[in-house]
Coordinates of all heavy atoms in Angstrom, one line a residue:
R151 N 27.8 106.8 68.4 CA 26.8 106.8 69.5 C 27.3 107.6 70.7 O 26.6 108.4 71.3 CB 26.4 105.4 69.9 CG 25.6 104.6 68.9 CD 25.4 103.2 69.3 NE 24.7 102.4 68.4 CZ 23.3 102.3 68.3 NH1 22.6 102.9 69.3 NH2 22.7 101.5 67.4
T152 N 28.5 107.3 71.1 CA 29.1 107.9 72.3 C 29.2 109.4 72.1 O 28.7 110.2 73.0 CB 30.5 107.3 72.6 OG1 30.4 105.9 72.7 CG2 31.1 107.9 73.8
V153 N 29.8 109.9 71.0 CA 30.0 111.3 70.8 C 28.6 112.0 70.7 O 28.4 113.1 71.2 CB 30.9 111.5 69.5 CG1 30.9 113.0 69.2 CG2 32.3 111.0 69.8
S154 N 27.7 111.4 69.9 CA 26.3 112.0 69.8 C 25.7 112.1 71.2 O 25.1 113.2 71.5 CB 25.5 111.1 68.9 OG 26.0 111.0 67.6
G155 N 25.8 111.1 72.0 CA 25.2 111.2 73.4 C 25.9 112.3 74.3 O 25.2 113.0 75.0
V156 N 27.2 112.4 74.1 CA 27.9 113.4 74.9 C 27.5 114.8 74.5 O 27.2 115.7 75.4 CB 29.5 113.2 74.8 CG1 30.2 114.4 75.4 CG2 29.9 111.9 75.5
I157 N 27.5 115.1 73.2 CA 27.1 116.4 72.7 C 25.7 116.8 73.1 O 25.4 117.9 73.6 CB 27.4 116.5 71.2 CG1 28.8 116.4 70.9 CG2 26.9 117.9 70.7 CD1 29.1 116.3 69.4
A158 N 24.8 115.8 72.9 CA 23.4 116.1 73.2 C 23.2 116.2 74.7 O 22.4 117.1 75.2 CB 22.5 114.9 72.7
G159 N 24.0 115.5 75.5 CA 23.9 115.6 77.0 C 24.4 116.9 77.5 O 23.8 117.5 78.4
L160 N 25.5 117.4 76.9 CA 25.9 118.7 77.3 C 25.0 119.9 76.9 O 25.1 121.0 77.4 CB 27.3 119.0 76.7 CG 28.4 118.1 77.3 CD1 29.8 118.3 76.6 CD2 28.6 118.4 78.8
G161 N 24.2 119.6 75.9 CA 23.2 120.7 75.4 C 21.9 120.7 76.1 O 21.3 121.7 76.2
F162 N 21.5 119.5 76.6 CA 20.2 119.4 77.3 C 20.4 119.5 78.8 O 21.5 119.3 79.3 CB 19.5 118.1 77.0 CG 18.8 118.1 75.7 CD1 19.5 117.9 74.5 CD2 17.4 118.3 75.6 CE1 18.9 117.9 73.3 CE2 16.8 118.3 74.4 CZ 17.5 118.1 73.2
W163 N 19.4 119.9 79.5 CA 19.5 119.9 81.0 C 18.1 119.6 81.6 O 17.1 119.8 80.9 CB 20.1 121.1 81.5 CG 19.2 122.3 81.6 CD1 18.6 122.9 80.5 CD2 18.8 123.0 82.7 NE1 17.8 124.0 80.9 CE2 17.9 124.1 82.3 CE3 19.1 122.9 84.1 CZ2 17.4 125.0 83.1 CZ3 18.5 123.9 84.9 CH2 17.7 124.9 84.5
T164 N 18.0 119.3 82.8 CA 16.7 119.0 83.5 C 16.5 119.9 84.7 O 17.2 119.8 85.7 CB 16.7 117.6 84.0 OG1 17.0 116.7 82.9 CG2 15.3 117.2 84.5
P165 N 15.6 120.9 84.6 CA 15.4 121.8 85.7 C 14.4 121.1 86.7 O 13.2 120.9 86.3 CB 14.7 123.0 85.1 CG 14.1 122.5 83.8 CD 14.9 121.3 83.4
D166 N 14.9 120.8 87.8 CA 14.1 120.1 88.9 C 13.5 118.8 88.3 O 14.2 117.9 88.0 CB 13.0 121.0 89.4 CG 13.5 122.3 90.0 OD1 14.6 122.2 90.6 OD2 12.9 123.4 89.9
T167 N 12.2 118.7 88.2 CA 11.6 117.4 87.7 C 10.9 117.6 86.4 O 10.1 116.8 85.9 CB 10.5 117.0 88.7 OG1 9.5 118.0 88.9 CG2 11.2 116.7 90.1
L168 N 11.2 118.7 85.6 CA 10.7 118.9 84.3 C 11.4 118.0 83.3 O 12.5 117.6 83.5 CB 10.8 120.4 83.9 CG 10.0 121.3 84.8 CD1 10.2 122.8 84.3 CD2 8.5 121.1 84.8
P169 N 10.7 117.7 82.1 CA 11.4 117.0 81.1 C 12.6 117.7 80.6 O 12.7 118.9 80.7 CB 10.3 116.9 80.0 CG 9.0 117.1 80.7 CD 9.3 118.1 81.8
E170 N 13.5 117.0 80.0 CA 14.8 117.6 79.4 C 14.4 118.5 78.3 O 13.5 118.3 77.5 CB 15.7 116.5 78.9 CG 16.3 115.7 80.0 CD 17.3 114.7 79.4 OE1 17.1 114.3 78.2 OE2 18.2 114.3 80.1
K171 N 15.1 119.6 78.2 CA 14.9 120.6 77.2 C 16.1 121.4 76.9 O 17.1 121.4 77.6 CB 13.7 121.6 77.6 CG 14.1 122.5 78.8 CD 13.0 123.5 79.0 CE 13.4 124.4 80.2 NZ 12.4 125.4 80.4
L172 N 16.1 122.1 75.7 CA 17.2 122.9 75.4 C 17.1 124.2 76.1 O 16.1 124.9 76.0 CB 17.3 123.2 73.8 CG 17.7 122.1 72.9 CD1 17.6 122.5 71.5 CD2 19.1 121.7 73.2
P173 N 18.1 124.6 76.9 CA 17.9 125.9 77.7 C 18.3 127.1 76.9 O 19.2 127.1 76.0 CB 19.0 125.7 78.8 CG 20.0 124.8 78.2 CD 19.3 123.9 77.3
Q174 N 17.5 128.1 77.0 CA 17.8 129.4 76.4 C 18.9 130.0 77.2 O 18.8 130.3 78.4 CB 16.6 130.3 76.4 CG 15.5 130.0 75.4 CD 14.5 131.1 75.3 OE1 14.4 132.0 76.1 NE2 13.8 131.1 74.2
G175 N 20.0 130.4 76.5 CA 21.2 130.9 77.1 C 22.4 130.0 76.9 O 23.6 130.4 77.1
S176 N 22.2 128.7 76.6 CA 23.3 127.8 76.3 C 23.9 128.1 74.9 O 23.1 128.4 74.0 CB 22.8 126.4 76.3 OG 23.7 125.5 75.8
A177 N 25.2 127.9 74.8 CA 25.8 128.1 73.5 C 25.5 127.1 72.4 O 25.6 127.3 71.3 CB 27.3 128.2 73.7
L178 N 25.0 125.9 72.9 CA 24.7 124.8 72.0 C 23.3 124.8 71.5 O 23.0 124.2 70.5 CB 25.0 123.4 72.7 CG 26.5 123.0 72.9 CD1 26.5 121.7 73.6 CD2 27.2 122.9 71.5
S179 N 22.4 125.4 72.2 CA 21.0 125.3 71.9 C 20.6 125.8 70.5 O 19.9 125.1 69.8 CB 20.2 126.1 73.0 OG 20.3 125.5 74.2
P180 N 21.1 127.0 70.0 CA 20.7 127.4 68.7 C 21.2 126.4 67.6 O 20.4 126.1 66.7 CB 21.4 128.7 68.5 CG 21.6 129.2 69.9 CD 21.8 128.0 70.7
R181 N 22.4 125.9 67.7 CA 22.9 125.0 66.7 C 22.2 123.7 66.8 O 21.9 123.1 65.7 CB 24.5 124.8 67.0 CG 25.1 124.2 65.8 CD 25.2 125.1 64.6 NE 25.8 124.4 63.4 CZ 25.1 123.8 62.5 NH1 23.7 123.8 62.6 NH2 25.6 123.2 61.5
L182 N 22.0 123.2 68.0 CA 21.3 121.9 68.1 C 19.8 122.0 67.6 O 19.3 121.0 67.0 CB 21.3 121.4 69.5 CG 22.6 121.0 70.1 CD1 22.5 120.5 71.5 CD2 23.3 119.9 69.2
F183 N 19.2 123.1 67.8 CA 17.9 123.3 67.2 C 17.9 123.2 65.7 O 17.0 122.6 65.1 CB 17.3 124.7 67.7 CG 15.9 124.9 67.1 CD1 14.8 124.5 67.8 CD2 15.8 125.7 66.0 CE1 13.5 124.7 67.2 CE2 14.5 126.0 65.4 CZ 13.4 125.5 66.1
D184 N 18.8 123.9 65.1 CA 19.0 123.9 63.6 C 19.2 122.5 63.1 O 18.7 122.0 62.1 CB 20.1 124.8 63.1 CG 19.6 126.1 62.7 OD1 18.4 126.3 62.7 OD2 20.4 127.0 62.3
I185 N 20.0 121.7 63.8 CA 20.3 120.3 63.4 C 19.1 119.5 63.5 O 18.8 118.7 62.6 CB 21.5 119.8 64.3 CG1 22.8 120.5 63.9 CG2 21.7 118.3 64.1 CD1 23.9 120.1 64.9
A186 N 18.3 119.6 64.6 CA 17.1 118.8 64.8 C 16.0 119.2 63.8 O 15.2 118.4 63.4 CB 16.6 119.0 66.2
F187 N 16.0 120.5 63.4 CA 14.9 121.0 62.5 C 15.3 120.7 61.0 O 14.4 121.0 60.1 CB 14.7 122.5 62.7 CG 13.3 122.9 62.4 CD1 12.4 122.8 63.4 CD2 12.9 123.5 61.2 CE1 11.0 123.2 63.2 CE2 11.7 123.9 61.0 CZ 10.7 123.8 62.0
Y188 N 16.5 120.3 60.7 CA 16.9 120.1 59.3 C 15.9 119.2 58.5 O 15.5 119.6 57.4 CB 18.3 119.5 59.2 CG 18.8 119.4 57.8 CD1 19.6 120.4 57.3 CD2 18.6 118.2 57.1 CE1 20.1 120.3 56.0 CE2 19.1 118.1 55.8 CZ 19.8 119.1 55.2 OH 20.3 119.0 54.0
P189 N 15.5 118.0 59.0 CA 14.5 117.2 58.2 C 13.2 118.0 57.9 O 12.6 117.8 56.8 CB 14.3 116.0 59.0 CG 15.5 115.9 59.9 CD 15.8 117.4 60.2
I190 N 12.8 118.8 58.8 CA 11.5 119.5 58.6 C 11.7 120.6 57.6 O 10.8 120.9 56.7 CB 11.0 120.1 60.0 CG1 10.9 119.0 61.0 CG2 9.7 120.8 59.8 CD1 10.7 119.5 62.4

């Protein structure tokens, strides 16, 4: 749980008051998108 939360936290961010999202430009975003899309 701890490691999963740390990795996901370093990949997501909150611009101002918008909901959390994967930022375009982050090195983690493409890989995290693939991981989340695997069941689909």
Side-chain angles (χ1 to χ4, degrees):
R151 291 175 179 269
T152 303
V153 173
S154 301
V156 169
I157 295 175
L160 290 173
F162 281 80
W163 79 298
T164 305
D166 300 329
T167 58
L168 298 177
E170 289 182 335
K171 65 176 184 178
L172 287 176
Q174 284 194 342
S176 168
L178 285 177
S179 295
R181 193 71 186 93
L182 293 181
F183 178 86
D184 261 0
I185 292 172
F187 210 84
Y188 183 92
I190 305 171

